[in-house]
Structure formats: C-alpha cells, structure tokens
C-alpha cells in the first residue's frame, strides 16, 4: 500500500472536477473493494475522491420505473419495499451479495464497477495478469480455472465479473446514469462494460472524469416476475460459480417474453439473447429451455478446470425459469 | 450425557476477549516495524535485491547483510534434550537459495508500519530460476518411506496375504485429501524487545519454551537471557506449534536495532510462513468374510513434503487400532515437492486418514449389504489389534448406540436415493472416530498464602481451548476451595517450564500436574486447605508413565446432508457426534471444542482446498475469498456430546484429549451421506458434488 491524497466531494460535480484535475485520482464510496485493491498494491491511485457523503442515495419510483441513487447501500436497496415488490431478481441478487457487514457499506455504483475475483489478479504479489499488468500474460490459462469464464474470454484473459447486482440489472434492461464534465448521459447496463475486443485492463466505458450517479430500472410485468438464482458451494458469502437472473411471461402456454442473464461466466453480465429469442413463442419446459440454450452453450470457451460450468449453466437456467430439477 | 461431577465454569477470559481488553502479541507498542518480503519463485537463486525508490530511515535486511545464525544440530534439533525442534531447518536470510514460493528473502525495517509496507512493496528481487516440482507433477516413484517420528511410520500385524486370500470379498480404493491451511483468526506475530543482553518476545505461539530454546540457540545467547510471553493467542490449530522463521527474524531484528520490533504476518504470508496440512493420496484395501468380519486391512498413505525437510502425515495410525482384523498393514510415505514444509493441522493423522478408512468401510457395508453401523460393531476391537494391549478405557460402543439413538439411525433406509425433500436429495452417513492420546510431561507450581489465596503457575499458553479456565478449576476442586480463591499465572517462560499446546494434550497433561501439585500442597498443609501461617509453595511435575495400555479417544459421527438434485450443491442438514474421551473436566469448554471441531470437519468435507498452481508453484488462494471455510449458513445445529466415562490410566484426572477429536470422521460421514443421497461415491476431499452431479 502506498501513500495517497484524500479529498471529499460534496456532490457529483465536485467529484468530477477533482477527477478531471488528477489523472491518478480514483473515486471511493463504500471502499469495500477498493481498499482491498490498495492494500495488495493492485491499484495505487495518488488521490482518493470520497463521494460517500454525496446525496446520491435513495430509492424512488420515477415515471420510467425504479431510480436508485448510485450511493445507495446494498442493504438499503435490498430492504426497500418497492424493490422487493416489483423487482424480485434485484432484491435477491442484492441479498446474496457478499456478507451483511459488506452490504451495509457497499454502494450500488461501486458494486457494478467492482473488479474481478480471479485469484491471479487478486494475488498478494504481481503474477502474470494482463488485467493487472498489461502485457504480462494470463496465469489462469495454465493455472487454477474454477473461477474462469466461459463467454467473452480470450487468450489474454479469462476473468469474470463478480457482481450479482449487474446480472439482475442486465436481465431487467437497466440503465446507468453517468455524470461527466460535459453533463449527464445514460448507458445501458451492458454498454457500461468494455466492448469484447478491449484489452483486459479496460473494463468499462466510463471516461476518467465520469461517475455513476444512479441506476434506472424499467418497471414492467416481466420485472415483477423476475428471479435470481445463485449457485455456490458455500451457503453464503461467496461469489457465484454460476448465477442466472431470469424473467418470463407465459401467455396461453407460450412464452410471450423472456430475459436471461448469467453471472460468474463472463467479464460482464452475460445476456443470452439468442436463447431468449429461441424461447419466445414456444412452450416453457425444461426441454425447451435446454434446447434454447444449446446454441449458446456451444459457443462456450471451456478450459479443463471450468468445463463443469457448461452443464451447470444449463441446469441453473432451467431451474430458474421452470423450477424443475433434472 | 456429560460428566455429572464437572462444573460449567464459563471462560475466565471471555469478557476480556469480547470487550477487546485481551492483549495479543502485536498489541504491544513497538519502535520498529518489520515487514517480510517473500520469494515469488518456487526454486532458484537470488541474484540481486534492490529497493525501487529511496526510503529514508528504512533498513533492508537480506542474506547479504543479515547476521549469521545457528548452527542447527543434525535434523534441525536445536540441542540434545531440549524441547525445541526447529522442523523448518532452513534458517532465514542465510544464503541466496530459494526453496519455496513465499520464503522470506528480505525484511524491511521502519519506524512506521505503513512505511515498512510501502518499502516492502518496492523491493525488487531478481532470481536465477530453476525448474520446480509441484505436488501434482511429483513422480510417485520418488515417494520414500517416512521416518519414524513419534510413531513408527509402518506397521505389520498378521499375515496379510493369507488374510486376503481367505476373504470372501476384497475392496480396494484410492482416496485423496486436499492441502489445507489452519488460518487462525490471528495470523502469527512476534514482538521482540532487545534490552542490553536480554531479549523478550511477545509471541503468538503454542509453545513458549520451544520459542525460547530455538531463539537462544540460533542467536547464540543463553536461554535465561530470553523471555517469551503469550498472554493470549488467537487460535493456532497447529500453525503455531513449532517455531517458524518469522520468529527468528523478529529476534534478529530487535538485536540489530537494539529496540522493540513488531513483526506480524499478513494473511497472505500466513499461507507460507508456517506449515499447512499436506495433501495426501491414500490407498485402502479391505478384505472381509461375507458376514462382514474383516480379515485384512491395508492402508497406505503418501503425503507431500518439502524437499528441504520432511513432514510425515501419519494418515494410517488410526487404522492400526480401530478395527479388529487378522492382518493389518500400514505404510506412510512422503513425496517431496518444491513447496514449504507442512505441519500438523487439527486433526493431523487420523483427521486425514479416517476419511479414507471410514469411506472404504461404508463401501464395504454396501458391497455386503450390511448396515454401516452394524459392520463397525462386527469388527469392534476389544483390545488394540496392533499393539495387542488393552485400551486404557474405551466407550466407543456406547458412542455408537447413543449417537444412533439421538440421530435416529434405525429409521434410515439402506438404499441410496431413498430420501428427498423438495429439490434436495437427502442422505445419511456415519463414521467412527479415533484419536491417539498425546501425553506430555507437565509442571505446575502452586502456593497458598496466609490469606488463603492460592496462586497456580505454569508456563503454558491459552490458544482458545480453555486452558486458562480449567486449570484453576482443577486446583480448586482438588483443594476443595472456592474457584475465586485461585489466581492462575500462565503465558510466560518466567513460570515453570511446559511443552507444546498440541495434540489435544494440555488438559490431560498439565491438568494432571496441577492435580498433583494441589495434592502435594494439601499434604504440606496437613490435609486440608486451611491458610498457613506463612506462604507454602510446592512444584510438581507429571510424567506420562510408559503405559501398559493403548490410550485413544473415540467417537461416532452421524451426518445428514441435502444435495440439490439439479445443481449438486451440498449442505449439511444435521450432525450428531458422541464421543468417548474419559472424564470431561469442563463441559462448557469441552462442548465448545467439539462444536468448533465439527465445523472444522465440515470445512474439510466440503470446502477447504489449498490448490497449488502447476506452473507458478504457489498456493493459488492466499485469502478467504478463495480459500473457503464454512460460514454460519453452512453449519446446522450440531448435537455433540460425551458418554460418561472415567479413564483410570490416561492421566490423573480420568480424562483424555478432546481438542482434535470432533473434526475426525466428519469428512467420511459427509461423503457417505452424499453417497446415500445420490448414489455417487466421491473419494476426494473436498467433495466436489457440483461437478459430480451435474456432469452430463
């Protein structure tokens, strides 16, 4: 851990100004991820801009649905009646994140930008990791691969994104509100993350002097029927081996609309639009879901240590959508 | 069922610990902070060490400028007859050789911890790397018989070939257990103060006197110039049993700076700064008649060890004693790799070995269509089958009966996949538990002053098991006085010398010494504990006599699991453990030991694995995000208890060891329950039920 300067921002504009002045500045809110990164010397910003006292908190119902302040604590969002009633996948994803102590500190905006749990990235010393040290290689390719992803990976990086919240947001077509020097813009949650051909250390599309101020989630009949299923070997306080956020409406025996997003398998929340398309207009059965997933799963890029996740993804999505076990 | 005579004294240090008043090693102020820099390669030579930037006031200690230490005697023994065995053998910062990833190769000293850490991050080390052997690549042909160490490495009873030939059924299976780390909540730490010619160490240790002897020997100073203090130790589980390089480094640094040096391991460093439980590969052969009678048992085990020193994990010791069989053959071998040296971890030996034996017994039960508990009863050993000696006391049959009753074993359908609860396949499994009793010499001093106040003194240490609570309780009971009249001094080498707090030995060994001292005091006082005119002090040493008996604790553990039928995740739904450990001195602290032990066993069964990277030769996960231990949600209500028992031979109190008892057998019971739930036989720990059940 190295010395850093500290400044507290009163509001988003002040934070953006502080960021713009210092290329080595980094925002800190709950700090539940960043402090670990600092302690292990994975990141070493020269200035921390503390946004935890800004007023960007709270949950409200807007004309387009739910509006969540970026600085809302995970525990507060999970407990909110509006979230619980109309966005169950969101509530479950939040409740299954981290531990109660961490949820009491961690913020929504920080959660969707948290960094991978790949053990090679998180090591106490520099190991070959293109995400941590560009150009150094990827130790996971020849190493321990249980945490490695199936989709959107490459020979440069097989890391996954650890957020549960982001997976639920992807299934619910959420939008991220971003403030920068030139004002505000909105990004789809998937568009928040870096394009597939980006180098591993580039993880999102925010500019240096931009910050997330809020998250908008459309209120739809689908959202009210959404579910989040997290599979992990420890009963609590563990990142997902595989998770799925799903929502489906069935009209007279056929799927009228459906959303499927996966966690634990890609460097960002992974929407299965192909499978969604295949399911629409057909029946909702374990077999139809498995069929719809087949093409998507054929595209999985497996390693010896994570090939077990392919059938696990199928079983997880089948369970989430139909409640059935094979 | 608990011993009816025992008192339920709560922990005397409970309030201190809960309020944060309890002081641990690094709660001492220090003028200098030491931060270790660890090798990042598994094998090679250091060619250059530099500091990236200039750090005024920071000292860098490396093999190039560190004082010469030692020498060590052959085998790492410090000196003949001394308690210390520096099993690591490598003295720190003595040459340019790197023997394992994580080896301390430099130390940064600064007056502020943050500065020392920052400078440690800026130390750059160049290596001439050499090819390293990781456990997965170690050639099994390179395995060699372990040396005899406390117990013989092999045993042969009866004619195994004849016994196998005479069997109706022979079952032969291979098992593995993963490397695991102790991970006490307090990573090991030392605060060393040099004052003229005297050195004081506040150390997180399971053995004050081993630290004193080792440090004195390697620094070349008299033992009486070294004082070691451990007021509180935040868990050890074996990690702090021996003396490890960081302790010596702190002492060396204190001598160099002539002040007080604080050295605390980081969590990541605690994965390599001391030992861990090595991975094992085990082979079990069971030969039986159709009625389930065992004719032959063969149990071979190979464990990873370091290349520079040897640690044998005697996974086979319990097999020598647990079941009656005409022939029993055990072998323990070690297979070197370029990794740091393993060490005992709760529970060593039987803790890894009973997974293999008790899983194989379950398979045999199914092969013969005999209830798994009935199979155990048909092979009940009335005397130690290898040593051919009677047991000092053994109530295993009562454990089976009481455990089965409490668990409801009689209602269990034999057939796998018979029970279901919603999405969960439900299964029930059991295993036997055996733990050899380590008994060590122990010394206690006791005095009564004219006010009737009693001071009990022993240079032992409290590692969380309850030593601080039960020793004054034993003294008070023996003297027939109120517990509040007894003050217990401990945790300091200024007090009468004692050995390690390891092997579940302390309550029985030191407790016997305390009782002997209290009885001697009573005699000096004329037969009852009336205050004397002048303070009377006596010191007694208890020595475990060479016994005509085989001394073991036993138990039976029953587990119910739920395995998600679609997703393969496994949760323990219930656990009943009933144990035979002689007289229970304090039911409250003993119950805590069993509870913690059962949780520990659940971790071994389902979660804990220190994977080694096949290319980098390092433990992949050096933190609790990757090295998974159970959280509360993984632990169901635990029904753990003792049977009534008094062991007249193990010690002076009627008790035996319990600290490492309850983790044993849980791995097998869970694996057997998973088989009952799913029909799958999993022979590798941790059980990877998700992979096994979802593979298609």
């Amino acid at each position: 851990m190295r010395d850093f300067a500290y400044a507290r921002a009163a509001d988003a504009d002040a934070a953006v100004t502080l960021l713009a002045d210092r290329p080595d500045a980094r925002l800190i809110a709950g700090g539940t991820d960043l402090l670990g990164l600092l302690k292990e010397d994975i990141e070493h910003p020269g200035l921390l801009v503390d946004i935890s006292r800004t007023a960007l908190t709270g949950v409200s119902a807007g004309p387009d649905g739910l509006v969540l302040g970026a600085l809302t604590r995970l525990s507060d969002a999970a407990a909110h009646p509006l979230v619980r009633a109309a966005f169950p996948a969101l509530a479950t994803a939040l409740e299954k994140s981290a531990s109660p102590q961490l949820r009491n500190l961690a913020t929504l905006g920080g959660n969707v930008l948290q960094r991978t749990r790949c053990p090679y990235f998180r090591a106490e010393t520099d190991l070959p990791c293109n995400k941590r040290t560009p150009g150094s290689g990827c130790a996971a390719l020849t190493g321990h691969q249980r945490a490695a992803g199936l989709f959107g990976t490459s020979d440069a990086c097989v890391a996954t994104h650890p957020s549960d919240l982001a997976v639920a947001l992807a299934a619910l077509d959420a939008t991220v509100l971003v403030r920068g020097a030139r004002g505000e813009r909105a990004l789809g949650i998937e568009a928040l993350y870096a394009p597939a051909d980006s180098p591993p250390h580039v993880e999102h599309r925010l500019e240096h002097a931009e910050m997330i101020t809020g998250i908008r989630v459309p209120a739809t009949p689908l959202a009210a029927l959404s579910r989040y299923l997290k599979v992990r070997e420890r009963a609590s306080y563990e990142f997902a081996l595989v998770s799925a956020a799903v929502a489906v409406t069935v009209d007279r025996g056929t799927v009228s609309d459906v959303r499927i997003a996966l966690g634990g398998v890609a460097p960002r929340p992974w929407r299965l639009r192909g499978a969604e398309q295949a399911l629409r207009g057909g029946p909702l059965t374990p077999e139809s879901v498995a069929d719809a997933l087949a093409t998507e799963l054929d595209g999985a890029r497996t390693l010896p240590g994570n090939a077990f996740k392919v059938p696990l993804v199928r079983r997880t999505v089948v369970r989430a959508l139909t409640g059935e076990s094979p | 069922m608990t011993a009816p005579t025992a008192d339920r004294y709560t922990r005397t240090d409970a309030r201190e610990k809960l309020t944060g008043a309890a002081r641990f090693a690094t709660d001492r102020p220090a003028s200098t902070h030491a931060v270790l820099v660890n090798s990042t390669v598994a094998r090679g030579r250091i060619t250059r060490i530099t500091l990236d930037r200039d750090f005024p006031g920071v000292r860098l200690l490396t093999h190039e400028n560190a004082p010469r230490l030692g020498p060590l005697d052959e085998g790492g023994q410090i000196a003949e007859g001394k308690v210390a065995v520096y099993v690591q053998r490598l003295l720190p910062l003595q040459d340019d050789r790197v023997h394992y990833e994580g080896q301390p190769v430099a130390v940064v000293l600064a007056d502020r911890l943050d500065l020392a850490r920052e400078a440690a991050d800026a130390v750059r080390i160049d290596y001439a790397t050499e090819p390293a052997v990781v456990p997965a690549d170690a050639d099994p042909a390179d395995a060699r018989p372990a040396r005899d160490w406390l117990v013989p490495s092999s045993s042969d009873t009866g004619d195994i070939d004849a016994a196998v030939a005479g069997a109706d059924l022979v079952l032969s299976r291979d098992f593995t257990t993963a490397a695991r780390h102790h991970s006490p909540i307090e990573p090991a730490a030392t605060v060393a103060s040099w004052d003229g010619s005297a050195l004081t160490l506040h150390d997180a240790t399971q053995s004050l006197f081993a630290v004193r002897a080792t440090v004195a020997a390697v620094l070349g100073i008299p033992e009486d110039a070294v004082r070691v203090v451990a007021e509180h130790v935040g868990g050890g589980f074996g990690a702090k049993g021996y003396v490890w390089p960081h302790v010596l480094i702190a002492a060396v640094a204190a001598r160099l700076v002539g002040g007080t040096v604080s050295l605390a391991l980081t969590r990541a460093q605690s994965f390599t700064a001391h030992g861990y439980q090595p991975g094992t590969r085990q082979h079990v052969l069971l030969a039986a008649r159709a009625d389930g009678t065992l004719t032959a048992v063969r149990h071979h085990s190979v464990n990873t060890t370091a290349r520079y020193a040897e640690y044998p994990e005697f996974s086979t010791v319990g097999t020598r004693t647990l079941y009656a069989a005409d022939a029993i053959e055990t072998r323990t071998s070690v297979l070197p790799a370029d990794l740091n040296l393993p060490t005992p971890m709760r529970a060593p030996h039987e803790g890894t070995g009973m997974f293999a034996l008790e899983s194989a017994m379950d398979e045999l039960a199914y092969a013969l269509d005999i209830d798994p508990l009935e199979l155990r009863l048909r092979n009940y050993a009335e005397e130690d089958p290898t040593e051919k000696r009677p047991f000092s006391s053994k109530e295993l049959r009562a454990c089976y009966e009481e455990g089965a009753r409490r668990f409801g074993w009689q209602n269990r359908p034999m057939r796998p996949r018979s029970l279901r609860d919603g999405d969960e396949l439900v299964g029930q499994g059991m295993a036997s538990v055996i733990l050899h009793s380590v008994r060590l010499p122990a010394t206690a001093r006791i005095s009564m002053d004219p006010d009737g106040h009693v001071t009990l003194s022993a240079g032992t240490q409290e590692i969380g098991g309850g030593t601080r609570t039960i020793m004054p309780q034993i003294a008070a009971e023996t003297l027939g006085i109120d517990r509040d009249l007894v003050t217990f001094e401990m945790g300091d080498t200024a007090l009468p010398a004692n050995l390690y707090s390891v092997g579940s030995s302390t309550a029985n060994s030191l407790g016997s010494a305390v009782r002997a001292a209290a009885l001697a005091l009573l005699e000096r006082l004329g037969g009852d504990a009336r205050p004397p005119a002048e303070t009377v002090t006596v010191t007694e040493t208890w020595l475990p006599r060479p016994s005509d008996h085989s001394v073991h604790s036993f138990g039976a553990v029953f587990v119910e699991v739920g395995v998600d039928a679609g997703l393969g995740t496994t949760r323990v739904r219930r656990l009943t453990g009933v144990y035979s450990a002689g007289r229970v001195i304090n039911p409250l602290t003993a119950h805590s030991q069993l509870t913690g032990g059962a949780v520990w066993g659940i971790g071994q069964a389902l979660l804990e694995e220190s994977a080694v990277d096949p290319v980098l030769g390092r433990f992949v996960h050096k933190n609790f995000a990757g090295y998974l231990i159970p959280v509360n949600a993984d632990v169901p209500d635990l029904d753990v208890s003792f049977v009534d028992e008094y062991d007249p031979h193990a010690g002076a109190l009627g008790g035996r060891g319990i600290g490492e008892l309850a983790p044993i057998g849980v791995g097998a019971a869970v694996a057997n329950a998973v088989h009952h739930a799913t029909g799958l036989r999993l022979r590798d720990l941790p059980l990877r039920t998700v992979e096994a059940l979802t593979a298609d």
Side-chain angles (χ1 to χ4, degrees), chain B residues 485-687:
Chain B
L485 290 172
V486 183
T487 299
F488 184 32
E489 303 174 326
M490 63 178 298
D492 193 332
T493 52
L495 303 170
N498 277 278
L499 294 171
Y500 310 83
S501 293
V502 300
S504 308
S505 66
T506 306
N508 187 27
S509 304
L510 181 58
S512 294
V514 168
R515 180 170 167 80
L519 286 173
L521 178 65
L522 265 185
E523 197 179 316
R524 286 279 301 278
L525 294 172
D528 67 53
R530 267 185 305 208
E534 285 181 24
T535 299
V536 175
T537 301
V538 296
T539 301
E540 285 289 321
T541 293
W542 180 81
L543 296 170
R545 283 167 306 177
S547 178
D548 297 331
H549 296 88
S550 172
V551 187
H552 290 79
S553 292
F554 296 91
V557 60
F558 299 80
V559 165
E560 181 176 285
V561 300
V563 184
D564 188 294
L567 306 173
T569 46
T570 297
R571 310 280 180 249
V572 176
R573 291 161 56 107
R574 301 194 280 138
L575 183 150
T576 295
V578 180
Y579 300 92
S580 155
R583 184 190 155 221
V584 173
I585 293 163
N586 182 318
L588 207 58
T589 52
H591 188 270
S592 294
Q593 290 276 36
L594 295 183
T595 303
V599 175
W600 199 264
I602 291 171
Q604 179 190 29
L606 294 173
L607 295 170
E608 292 183 51
E609 178 181 23
S610 275
V612 177
D613 185 277
V615 173
L616 303 172
R618 57 170 268 132
F619 290 112
V620 174
H621 303 286
K622 297 185 184 177
N623 56 55
F624 291 144
Y627 184 79
L628 300 184
I629 56 177
V631 296
N632 285 333
D634 295 296
V635 181
D637 282 344
L638 301 170
D639 172 24
V640 288
S641 59
F642 296 96
V643 293
D644 282 341
E645 187 181 0
Y646 185 92
D647 186 328
H649 303 292
L653 303 165
R656 292 188 300 271
I658 58 170
E660 291 166 299
L661 192 53
I664 300 169
V666 176
V670 172
N672 297 339
V674 165
H675 167 259
H676 188 233
T678 65
L680 293 170
R681 279 291 175 196
L682 301 181
R683 302 186 185 93
D684 306 290
L685 288 185
L687 304 173

Side-chain angles (χ1 to χ4, degrees), chain B residues 92-348:
Chain B
L93 310 179
Q94 298 298 291
D95 59 38
D96 61 357
R97 294 294 316 174
V98 173
H99 300 265
Y100 58 94
E101 196 272 352
Q103 179 180 326
V105 290
V107 184
V108 172
L109 303 173
D111 60 356
R112 294 196 335 259
L113 179 58
D114 63 314
L115 182 61
R117 282 189 180 155
E118 188 177 351
D121 285 337
V123 174
R124 293 291 161 258
I125 303 180
D126 299 328
Y127 301 93
T129 306
E130 298 165 15
V133 174
V134 299
D137 291 344
D139 183 350
D142 290 340
R144 60 168 192 263
R147 68 194 154 92
D148 296 343
W149 185 59
L150 305 177
V151 296
S153 120
S154 66
S155 74
D156 292 278
T157 301
D159 182 341
I160 192 135
D161 294 331
V164 170
D168 295 320
L169 189 129
V170 177
L171 182 127
S172 172
R173 295 287 185 269
D174 293 311
F175 301 88
T176 67
T177 63
R180 301 193 298 154
H181 278 83
H182 314 72
S183 306
I185 195 164
E186 176 205 30
T190 307
V191 177
S193 296
W194 189 265
D195 180 12
S197 58
L199 179 64
T200 302
L201 302 171
H202 286 88
D203 192 31
T205 180
Q206 292 173 241
S207 181
L208 299 162
F209 284 87
V211 171
R212 185 177 78 160
T214 307
V215 168
V218 299
L219 260 59
I221 57 177
E223 277 195 34
D224 59 14
V226 182
R227 180 180 170 206
V228 183
V229 179
E231 261 187 83
H232 290 277
V233 179
F237 316 113
K240 300 165 182 171
Y242 293 118
V243 186
W244 297 96
H246 67 274
V247 179
L248 307 183
I249 290 171
V252 165
R255 192 184 206 179
L256 272 180
V257 304
T260 300
V261 173
S262 177
L263 191 163
L265 300 180
T266 63
R267 178 59 63 192
Q269 286 169 344
S270 76
F271 280 77
T272 54
H274 47 64
Y276 55 95
Q277 183 168 81
T280 71
R281 304 175 197 178
Q282 300 181 51
H283 174 76
V284 175
L285 177 147
L286 300 176
R289 299 199 188 93
D291 68 356
T293 313
L294 289 168
T295 60
V297 179
R298 172 181 282 148
H299 189 173
H300 292 187
S301 175
V302 185
N303 69 269
T304 303
T305 189
R307 209 192 305 208
Y308 58 85
E310 179 176 314
Y311 169 75
E313 174 77 12
F314 292 113
S315 303
T316 61
V317 287
T319 305
R320 294 172 189 172
T321 307
L322 186 55
Y323 295 117
D326 301 336
I328 301 173
E329 174 192 290
T330 67
R331 299 281 183 274
T332 300
S333 308
V334 293
L335 183 55
D338 291 307
L339 208 60
N340 53 311
L341 182 68
T343 204
M345 170 172 157
R346 188 196 198 191

Side-chain angles (χ1 to χ4, degrees), chain A residues 1-294:
Chain A
M1 190 160 176
R2 308 185 192 182
D3 278 353
F4 54 82
Y6 171 88
R8 186 179 295 161
D11 54 32
D13 287 334
V16 166
T17 303
L18 283 163
L19 285 174
D21 287 349
R22 288 280 295 262
D24 62 344
R26 182 88 153 80
L27 297 179
I28 184 166
T32 54
D33 190 24
L34 185 60
L35 286 181
L37 296 166
L38 296 184
K39 285 180 186 171
E40 298 294 10
D41 207 30
I42 297 167
E43 292 198 26
H44 20 79
L47 170 67
L48 290 187
V49 177
D50 183 354
I51 52 172
S52 64
R53 311 283 176 99
T54 60
L56 297 165
T57 58
V59 176
S60 57
D64 305 322
L66 192 66
V67 180
L68 303 152
L71 275 296
T72 308
R73 310 288 172 176
L74 266 55
S75 49
D76 291 337
H80 200 279
L82 201 56
V83 175
R84 302 191 75 77
F87 306 88
L90 204 53
T92 307
L94 289 165
E95 282 179 336
K96 292 195 178 291
S97 299
S99 68
Q101 292 89 340
L102 288 167
R103 293 196 294 272
N104 284 340
L105 263 184
T107 63
L108 301 180
N111 183 277
V112 298
L113 291 177
Q114 68 185 295
R115 308 199 67 190
T116 184
R117 303 307 308 191
C118 177
Y120 299 97
F121 174 79
R122 291 277 170 174
E124 80 292 353
T125 187
D126 267 320
L127 301 175
C129 174
N130 290 320
K131 195 179 270 300
R132 180 160 163 177
T133 309
S136 62
C138 174
L141 285 174
T142 54
H144 195 71
Q145 297 159 346
R146 280 177 69 79
L150 302 173
F151 304 104
T153 59
S154 70
D155 286 342
C157 185
V158 294
T160 61
H161 198 267
S163 169
D164 295 296
L165 169 63
V167 180
L169 293 175
L172 300 174
D173 295 306
T175 301
V176 175
L177 308 174
V178 175
R179 180 81 54 88
R182 293 186 296 277
E184 197 144 286
R185 63 180 177 131
L187 282 168
I189 179 74
E190 290 173 273
L192 172 67
Y193 298 99
D197 55 356
S198 306
H201 68 281
V202 178
E203 295 173 351
H204 55 74
R205 297 194 218 205
L206 297 184
E207 288 169 24
H208 172 68
E210 281 188 320
M211 68 173 278
I212 299 176
T213 55
I215 298 169
R216 213 160 49 206
V217 194
T220 64
L222 258 184
L225 296 168
S226 62
R227 265 172 267 168
Y228 186 71
L229 179 60
K230 183 173 183 178
V231 181
R232 50 184 167 179
E233 276 160 336
R234 189 155 71 180
S236 177
Y237 197 13
E238 189 192 358
F239 296 96
L241 275 176
V242 167
S243 70
V246 302
V248 62
T249 48
V250 179
D251 185 15
R252 277 167 294 185
T254 61
V255 173
S256 50
D257 205 0
V258 61
R259 299 282 185 280
I260 308 169
L262 299 177
V265 294
R268 58 191 152 279
W270 198 255
R271 266 285 287 272
L272 298 180
R273 287 196 170 72
E276 292 171 6
Q277 188 54 41
L279 275 170
R280 274 190 205 99
L284 183 70
T285 65
E287 295 72 29
S288 72
V289 175
D291 287 347
L293 290 168

